[in-house]
Amino acid sequence: MQVDPNKVFIFDTTLRDGEQSPGASLNHREKLDVARQLALLNVDIIEAGFPIASPDDFAAVKAIAEQIKGPTIAGLARCIEKDITRCADAVMPAEKPRIHVFLATSKIHREFKLKKAQDEILRQAAGSIKLAKSFVDDIEFSPEDASRTESDFLAQVVEAAIDAGATTVNIPDTVGYSIPSEFGDVIKRLYDTVPNIGLARIHVHCHNDLGLAVANSLAAVQAGARGIECTINGLGERAGNAALEEIVMALKIRKEEFKGLYTDIKTERLYKTSRLVSQLTGMNIQRNKAIVGANAFAHESGIHQDGMLKERSTYEIMRPQEVGIEDTDLVLGKHSGRHAFKHRLQQMGLVLNEEEMEKAYERFIALADKKKQIYDDDLLMIAHQEMTDAEGVYVLDHLQVSTGTDVVPTATVRIRRGDEVFQDAACGDGPVDAALKTIDRITGIHGKLVDFALQAITTGKDAMGEVSVRVQFESGPVLSAKSACTDIVEAGARAYLSCVNRMASLQQIAHSGDLEERPTEPTP
Ligand code: KIV
Ligand code: ZN
C-alpha cells in the first residue's frame, strides 16, 4: 500500500526505553493497560519490550502481541541469535509483528564496548537482519550511537542494513549529544549518500541529555525522516526520550512550518494517556511540563488573564481540549451507577475483571461519601489501587496511627497475604515513619525511602492527597509507586506497600531461577 510521504510515523517506546527509566518499572498487567491506551491514542508502532531481558518481559511482549490490535507490535533484540529467536517468539502472535535489532556503530562503542572492527559490525548487523527476516518481514535496524558514528561508516551500515532486508532504519542519538542543525544534517547526508535509502523508512530516536530530544527529532523530520521514536511524558533512561505529546503537538500546531507533515495521533487522548502512564509508573509530571503539565494551560499574570478574556489567541496557541484537557472532568457522583463507573474507567484504558470492578466501585462510593466531587484522576487512582491490591502479595487491611505534639508516633498495621493475616506495631519519628517501619517488620522486606512527595490530586480541601514514593531496597533496585487517599499517612503506606509488593515479586522470580537468562552484555 502506498504511504503518504507527509505522514510521520509515531513509534512509542514507553514500554521499552521508557520503562528503563530508574524506578519506572511496570508489571505485566500495567504494561497491557498502557499498550491498550497507546492503541486508542493511535500510535503506529508500540515497542512492547526487550523479550530476552527477563521471562516477565517476554511474557508481557507476547501478551501485548496477542491482545492489542491496530498498531505494529515491536520487540527489541541485540544482534545475537538467542535474542532474535526469543524476540520472534514473543512478537509473532501480533497482527503486525516487528523485530527491532540494534548494534552499536560509533568508534567509541566499537573500541571499548564491542571490541570489533567496522567490517565485523557490518557482517554481524547484516547476518542478524537476515536471521530476523526469516521470522517476520518487518525488520527495524538501529545503529546504536549513530549520531557519534563516522558519517561514511554510518552510510555504509545503513546501506548494508537495507540490503539485508531492514524495512526501517532508525538513527538514534543514544547519548543525547547532538544539536538540531547537526542532527538534521546527519539525516540529510544519509538521504544524499545511501543509494538504496528509498527502500526503507528512516526513523529517529533521540535522548534528552541536553534537553534537545524533541528539537532534534523535529529537525530530523524536516531533513526527511518519517518516523519518530518517543515516549509518553518523555520517560526514559537518564534525562529521558523525546516526549511524544510535544512532538505530536508541535507538528500539529506548526503544520505550515512543517510543510504539511502530520501524524495520525488522536491528540484529544494525549492527556489521559499521560495521566495513566504517570499513575502506573509512579513518575510525577512536572507542573510546567509542556502539553500535559498541570500549569501548561494556566494563566496567572493579570495581563495574560485580561488578554485571554478579550481574545484567547492572545496568549493561547492551542486549546486545552485539543489535548484532552476538559474545562471540567467532573463526571461521577455518589448516585452514579456501576455502568457509568465502568464505562468511564474503560474510556481511560483500564479494564478490570468483575470482582475488581465491584471492589473498585465500593471504594468509589466510599470516596464519594467523603468527597463531593469526583474527578477522573480520583477514578484512575481508585482503579489502580484495586489492581495493585489484586496483584500484590501483601494487602493493607487496617492502619491506625497515633500522633500529636506530645506523643511518640506509633502505628498499628494489619496486612493480609492470601488467607494469612499479620499484625504488628512500631514507633517512628513521625506517623509515616512508624507505619513504614511496621510494614517492614511484617513483610521482612526492608526499604529505604529515598523520596516522598505529596500533592493534592484534585482541587478543594477534601481532595485526595497523592503520595509518590521512591524506595531503595537492600541490594535491589529503586522502585516507585503512587497512591492517594483522603488520609495522607494511609496514602504513604499504600504507596510504600506497592513497592514492597513489586520487590517481593522480583524476589520470587529471582528465587525461581528466572533471572538466569538476563543479558550479560549491557542493554541499550
Ligand atoms: O538509545 C538507543 O540507542 C536505543 C536503541 C536500542 C534504539 O534505545
Ligand atoms: Zn534509547
Side-chain angles (χ1 to χ4, degrees):
M1 203 178 57
Q2 198 68 27
V3 175
D4 182 343
N6 277 350
K7 161 147 175 171
V8 176
F9 284 72
I10 295 295
F11 175 115
D12 180 278
T13 183
T14 306
L15 294 172
R16 200 277 298 168
D17 225 347
E19 213 240 354
Q20 282 176 215
S21 175
S25 68
L26 293 167
N27 67 28
H28 186 113
R29 166 127 187 234
E30 291 164 341
K31 286 184 188 172
L32 262 169
D33 283 332
V34 172
R36 204 174 291 111
Q37 183 63 25
L38 291 172
L40 289 175
L41 188 63
N42 213 23
V43 305
D44 298 286
I45 304 118
I46 295 177
E47 185 163 53
F50 187 22
I52 196 75
S54 73
D56 203 48
D57 256 47
F58 174 85
V61 176
K62 190 152 189 252
I64 291 171
E66 283 163 353
Q67 296 179 39
I68 305 300
K69 306 294 169 212
T72 295
I73 307 297
L76 184 69
R78 291 167 299 176
C79 281
I80 297 177
E81 187 179 339
K82 67 172 188 247
D83 279 38
I84 295 169
T85 52
R86 190 89 171 130
C87 184
D89 284 347
V91 297
M92 210 72 104
E95 259 175 3
K96 291 181 261 169
R98 171 180 296 191
I99 299 178
H100 175 191
V101 285
F102 74 97
L103 184 62
T105 50
S106 64
K107 189 161 186 288
I108 193 161
H109 279 235
R110 289 192 319 262
E111 286 179 3
F112 295 103
K113 187 176 89 173
L114 301 175
K115 304 197 184 341
K116 286 197 167 138
Q118 289 187 345
D119 57 337
E120 290 176 275
I121 299 284
L122 285 170
R123 271 200 305 279
Q124 189 177 346
S128 302
I129 292 166
K130 285 183 186 149
L131 173 64
K133 196 89 181 168
S134 68
F135 298 108
V136 299
D137 278 341
D138 186 352
I139 306 299
E140 171 166 342
F141 174 73
S142 291
E144 192 190 3
D145 205 17
S147 54
R148 292 194 300 170
T149 300
E150 305 91 315
S151 54
D152 289 349
F153 183 52
L154 184 63
Q156 274 183 50
V157 171
V158 172
E159 183 177 353
I162 298 173
D163 261 349
T167 38
T168 295
V169 177
N170 172 41
I171 305 299
D173 182 26
T174 303
V175 291
Y177 180 70
S178 225
I179 59 171
S181 52
E182 174 191 45
F183 196 59
D185 283 348
V186 171
I187 303 303
K188 188 170 177 313
R189 205 170 310 118
L190 289 174
Y191 274 100
D192 289 344
T193 56
V194 175
N196 56 1
I197 198 151
L199 299 177
R201 181 170 306 127
I202 300 301
H203 276 203
V204 290
H205 173 118
C206 298
H207 280 267
N208 205 29
D209 299 66
L210 293 175
L212 294 171
V214 169
N216 285 339
S217 307
L218 294 174
V221 291
Q222 285 180 312
R226 285 295 175 268
I228 299 184
E229 311 211 338
C230 44
T231 59
I232 300 294
N233 301 336
L235 211 62
E237 266 306 357
R238 309 182 306 276
N241 289 57
L244 181 149
E245 59 281 0
E246 294 176 22
I247 284 167
V248 167
M249 291 314 290
L251 287 171
K252 182 170 179 184
I253 298 300
R254 302 303 310 277
K255 196 166 175 167
E256 277 87 56
E257 193 60 26
F258 286 103
K259 312 224 172 339
L261 295 181
Y262 68 93
T263 74
D264 280 338
I265 295 298
K266 297 200 187 311
T267 61
E268 65 288 355
R269 302 214 161 122
L270 283 170
Y271 185 66
K272 279 203 171 67
T273 312
S274 159
R275 298 300 305 162
L276 181 75
V277 169
S278 166
Q279 174 65 44
L280 300 188
T281 56
M283 303 285 280
N284 274 338
I285 302 165
Q286 78 199 53
R287 293 190 79 81
N288 58 337
K289 161 91 179 60
I291 316 295
V292 290
N295 289 357
F297 293 91
H299 298 269
E300 181 71 28
S301 106
I303 296 176
H304 289 204
Q305 287 176 350
D306 180 57
M308 287 281 291
L309 289 173
K310 290 179 174 141
E311 166 55 46
R312 293 189 80 100
S313 61
T314 49
Y315 287 103
E316 193 173 76
I317 60 163
M318 58 195 148
R319 302 296 303 268
Q321 290 81 357
E322 282 184 81
V323 301
I325 300 176
E326 304 295 336
D327 283 341
T328 166
D329 61 358
L330 176 64
V331 277
L332 300 175
K334 114 185 192 186
H335 301 295
S336 304
R338 283 175 177 70
H339 186 72
F341 177 71
K342 183 172 173 184
H343 181 71
R344 194 72 199 171
L345 287 183
Q346 277 168 351
Q347 280 187 329
M348 290 192 275
L350 290 167
V351 178
L352 274 65
N353 66 32
E354 246 172 68
E355 192 188 333
E356 291 164 354
M357 189 62 80
E358 192 50 40
K359 287 195 182 148
Y361 183 72
E362 279 166 25
R363 283 189 196 208
F364 157 70
I365 293 296
L367 182 67
D369 262 340
K370 288 192 207 156
K371 190 174 178 294
K372 275 199 257 44
Q373 302 178 320
I374 306 279
Y375 298 87
D376 277 357
D377 278 351
D378 296 320
L379 296 182
L380 196 55
M381 187 59 77
I382 290 171
H384 185 227
Q385 220 140 59
E386 198 44 60
M387 284 158 57
T388 314
D389 281 2
E391 298 273 314
V393 183
Y394 300 104
V395 178
L396 184 69
D397 219 22
H398 169 86
L399 167 71
Q400 191 190 335
V401 285
S402 84
T403 189
T405 42
D406 297 318
V407 283
V408 178
T410 313
T412 307
V413 175
R414 192 166 65 229
I415 283 178
R416 270 187 295 112
R417 187 179 62 192
D419 293 335
E420 296 171 287
V421 178
F422 306 91
Q423 183 158 315
D424 209 337
C427 303
D429 288 340
V432 173
D433 187 43
L436 305 196
K437 278 198 176 120
T438 319
I439 293 175
D440 284 356
R441 283 164 67 131
I442 294 177
T443 61
I445 299 176
H446 295 265
K448 186 170 156 238
L449 203 55
V450 288
D451 202 3
F452 181 98
L454 172 66
Q455 67 179 63
I457 31 177
T458 52
T459 49
K461 282 196 186 125
D462 61 354
M464 290 210 277
E466 179 183 79
V467 173
S468 316
V469 296
R470 280 161 61 78
V471 183
Q472 167 84 66
F473 289 94
E474 283 164 7
S475 67
V478 176
L479 298 175
S480 320
K482 278 185 185 185
S483 188
C485 191
T486 43
D487 174 339
I488 56 172
V489 181
E490 183 182 334
R494 285 188 183 279
Y496 182 78
L497 196 60
S498 292
C499 293
V500 170
N501 273 325
R502 219 159 260 191
M503 191 59 214
S505 64
L506 287 176
Q507 284 175 346
Q508 259 170 14
I509 296 172
H511 288 147
S512 65
D514 282 352
L515 287 183
E516 273 164 26
E517 280 193 54
R518 271 199 175 279
T520 46
E521 268 181 49
T523 54

